[in-house]
Amino acid sequence: MSVDIVGRMLSTLPEDDDHPYRTGPWRPQTNEWSADDLEVVEGEVPTDLDGVYLRNTENPLHPSVKNYHPFDGDGMVHVVGFRDGKTFYRNRFVRTDGLLAESEAGASLWAGISENPALARRDDGWGARGRMKDASSTDVVVHRGTALTSFYQCGDLYRVDPYSADTRGKEDWGGRFPFEWGVSAHPKVDDRTGELLFFNYGKEAPYLHYGVVDENNALVHYVDVPLPGPRLPHDMAFTENYAILNDFPLFWDAAALERGVHVPRFHRDVPSRFAVIPRRGSSEAIRWFEASPTYVLHFTNAYEDGHEIVLDGFFQGDPEPADNGMGDKWQRAFRFLALDRMQSRLHRWRLDLVTGAMKEEQLSDRVTEFGMINGAHLGRNYRYAWAATGKPSWFLFDGLVRHDLLTGAEEHLSFGDGVYGSETAMAPRVGSSGEDDGYLITLTTDMVENASYCLVLDASRITDGPVCKLKLPERISSGTHSTWAAGAELRRWHNAESAAAAIGL
């Protein structure tokens, strides 16, 4: 294995830090690595695995102004690449405007999610809108061969090289990027059409927008989705012909918001609502469907079944838990992070486009979240979802479940005591012939061995354990969202020489 530290960022975090989400599995990193021919500690690297796994996560460098929340940290992208049995690893901070400004100042400049915006030491850029730094630390997708990182409170999309993880500036869609509103995390890429679908939201009417970027990277559609007031949508879904947005009854307390205080409340007497809009449809074409009150952090997929839209996601039985079960001074601070407290379970809604009726059902008794599917089936009928289980009371993934949505069967793999994974991406094998014919890839933070690994699993037999286990240069911080980009697709957009050089061929 060839390993080099190519960068190290200055951190001013205290050495005796006791914050639960800046220590232990969430201990942040400062090193940026380039490593080739990763050490194989178990199994063999599959020769029919071709592409890159990318993971984004929060990685703070400076103490918060007052109260740190794990969603406040700076974005860091990790890349593990595979081709012809060879591997490489890169990790880089996303060079956002906020990171560069705070690196120059040597301190946090913006208030975080658990802080009053008035505490911000700067009030320009995104801070002027009364929220927080755009850390671009939530999600990562790949569109037209470029990785795009995004922030759940809306912001810029940062362009990242999917091989090197280097930041290549901001996306602007030919000057038509909605700079005033930004783009939320979880834009969706339809590989069949080459389109990117997105939404954004804010505290001013109409409160929500929906847009489409075409295969030529042009913003070709952007419309209002009027809501009754400010909401907190986190994800969306799409089918072959429609996009599905939402209005859930977990949103800021109106009276507190008038005082400039952002306190989320679950309004148990208000229904959930889904907005169905043709993918290039007008605001007037939106149809609304009502469902049981809940909050959905993430959807797995949606598809059309006759005159119905089938929508799958993780229904929360208690979107506003009283506590997180940690039993200490952090009792209420992170109650929105524990999957067991929120009781998130895979759920299905059926939206009848002819009658306007809504039917819903729980698909699993098991608490899971952060579901991933074979990307070729996004917006289409599908059978399998792979989702994370959570350590009780914590925002940590301690295992993986394979949901068979046809039979209801489930397979569970535990990562083991003290080992925590990332969102697990599905990578179809080269020449795959079935929906689950491929591999699952995740990164682990192993507190027992004080190390991190990339695990490659057989997507159809997860309980067999790793097909391959690769050691990373150092123990990485626990993290969340990821994606898989197939090598053949990346090589469409990158010249053959640069693509081969990235993998060491």
Side-chain angles (χ1 to χ4, degrees):
M1 179 169 67
S2 171
V3 181
D4 293 298
I5 294 179
V6 296
R8 181 178 287 117
M9 298 293 285
L10 172 68
S11 172
T12 60
L13 293 171
E15 293 186 4
D16 59 348
D17 202 347
D18 67 347
H19 194 288
Y21 287 103
R22 288 197 309 240
T23 56
W26 282 94
R27 182 193 69 189
Q29 298 163 256
T30 58
N31 292 328
E32 296 176 313
W33 297 87
S34 290
D36 297 310
D37 299 320
L38 299 178
E39 178 185 350
V40 180
V41 298
E42 184 177 336
E44 296 181 354
V45 179
T47 56
D48 55 359
L49 181 57
D50 179 10
V52 296
Y53 169 89
L54 301 104
R55 191 201 81 175
N56 195 4
T57 199
E58 296 83 2
N59 197 95
L61 289 170
H62 308 289
S64 55
V65 178
K66 188 175 181 181
N67 300 312
Y68 177 74
H69 188 280
F71 294 170
D72 296 341
D74 296 290
M76 175 183 280
V77 172
H78 300 258
V79 179
V80 181
F82 302 85
R83 189 179 180 191
D84 295 336
K86 292 191 174 184
T87 60
F88 70 89
Y89 169 75
R90 307 284 188 268
N91 72 302
R92 301 289 187 272
F93 280 95
V94 183
R95 262 58 177 186
T96 63
D97 292 346
L99 178 136
L100 296 176
E102 291 185 336
S103 294
E104 182 179 354
S108 293
L109 299 176
W110 285 271
I113 188 174
S114 298
E115 299 175 312
N116 189 320
L119 293 173
R121 295 162 179 156
R122 281 181 65 160
D123 61 357
D124 58 349
W126 290 99
R129 298 189 192 133
R131 288 303 300 137
M132 54 195 296
K133 179 180 65 176
D134 171 13
S136 205
S137 57
T138 307
D139 194 18
V140 58
V141 298
V142 175
H143 185 229
R144 292 169 46 89
T146 296
L148 301 173
T149 61
S150 54
F151 190 54
Y152 75 104
Q153 289 280 0
C154 299
D156 293 311
L157 293 180
Y158 280 85
R159 297 169 56 85
V160 173
D161 186 295
Y163 292 115
S164 68
D166 291 334
T167 306
R168 302 300 190 196
K170 301 176 188 178
E171 184 58 81
D172 69 354
W173 296 329
R176 296 198 63 200
F177 189 88
F179 295 103
E180 182 178 358
W181 287 73
V183 169
S184 178
H186 303 307
K188 304 297 180 182
V189 177
D190 185 343
D191 287 336
R192 298 195 189 192
T193 67
E195 293 174 315
L196 180 144
L197 315 179
F198 72 92
F199 68 97
N200 57 32
Y201 61 99
K203 293 183 287 187
E204 299 176 358
Y207 305 111
L208 182 66
H209 297 99
Y210 158 71
V212 180
V213 177
D214 71 6
E215 68 277 12
N216 298 313
N217 211 38
L219 178 61
V220 294
H221 192 64
Y222 187 65
V223 296
D224 298 348
V225 183
L227 297 177
R231 296 297 189 263
L232 296 169
H234 188 75
D235 200 3
M236 64 173 291
F238 71 90
T239 69
E240 290 187 70
N241 296 295
Y242 299 95
I244 303 98
L245 303 157
N246 55 78
D247 172 11
F248 290 120
L250 177 71
F251 51 84
W252 287 313
D253 181 90
L257 195 59
E258 289 182 358
R259 304 191 306 271
V261 179
H262 300 79
V263 181
R265 292 281 183 260
F266 181 52
H267 304 266
R268 300 178 185 275
D269 56 344
V270 177
S272 299
R273 299 198 307 153
F274 295 103
V276 176
I277 180 172
R279 282 174 54 158
R280 301 280 181 104
S282 66
S283 301
E284 292 72 26
I286 297 171
R287 295 188 60 184
W288 287 96
F289 293 79
E290 292 191 354
S292 302
T294 188
Y295 187 78
V296 176
L297 197 61
H298 301 112
F299 297 100
T300 53
N301 198 21
Y303 61 92
E304 296 163 36
D305 182 15
H307 53 78
E308 290 185 325
I309 288 178
V310 178
L311 174 65
D312 294 346
F314 296 94
F315 184 105
Q316 293 183 5
D318 187 3
E320 189 180 5
D323 57 56
N324 65 1
M326 294 173 73
D328 54 21
K329 65 180 180 179
W330 312 109
Q331 184 72 277
R332 288 181 57 82
F334 308 118
R335 66 190 190 279
F336 293 103
L337 297 179
L339 302 185
D340 62 318
R341 294 288 164 159
M342 294 185 294
Q343 302 171 33
S344 62
R345 294 180 173 88
L346 196 55
H347 198 82
R348 173 165 289 176
W349 296 264
R350 284 186 171 270
L351 291 62
D352 194 314
L353 298 176
V354 172
T355 67
M358 164 70 77
K359 294 184 292 186
E360 53 185 303
E361 62 177 318
Q362 184 174 298
L363 296 181
S364 174
D365 293 329
R366 192 188 295 268
V367 172
T368 57
E369 239 286 5
F370 291 80
M372 298 287 274
I373 72 168
N374 183 325
H377 290 259
L378 279 170
R380 279 80 180 172
N381 198 349
Y382 74 119
R383 177 173 178 175
Y384 302 106
W386 295 269
T389 57
K391 179 181 178 179
S393 303
W394 284 84
F395 188 36
L396 291 167
F397 302 156
D398 62 2
L400 181 65
V401 172
R402 178 181 188 262
H403 293 283
D404 185 330
L405 304 181
L406 178 64
T407 67
E410 296 176 350
E411 297 179 18
H412 176 236
L413 172 70
S414 171
F415 294 135
D417 291 342
V419 181
Y420 307 106
S422 307
E423 187 174 62
T424 301
M426 196 281 176
R429 75 175 75 242
V430 175
S432 65
S433 58
E435 184 181 341
D436 64 344
D437 183 17
Y439 302 97
L440 303 180
I441 303 174
T442 193
L443 303 183
T444 63
T445 301
D446 190 325
M447 299 302 296
V448 177
E449 298 186 11
N450 189 30
S452 279
Y453 301 94
C454 175
L455 302 185
V456 179
L457 304 158
D458 186 325
S460 65
R461 303 165 60 95
I462 67 170
T463 54
D464 286 357
V467 172
C468 177
K469 184 175 180 180
L470 306 168
K471 189 171 184 179
L472 304 187
E474 73 170 324
R475 197 185 87 206
I476 68 174
S477 173
S478 182
T480 50
H481 289 300
S482 70
T483 194
W484 169 258
E489 177 64 17
L490 290 178
R491 291 189 288 275
R492 285 184 56 206
W493 301 99
H494 296 259
N495 67 64
E497 182 178 349
S498 66
I503 199 74
L505 294 176

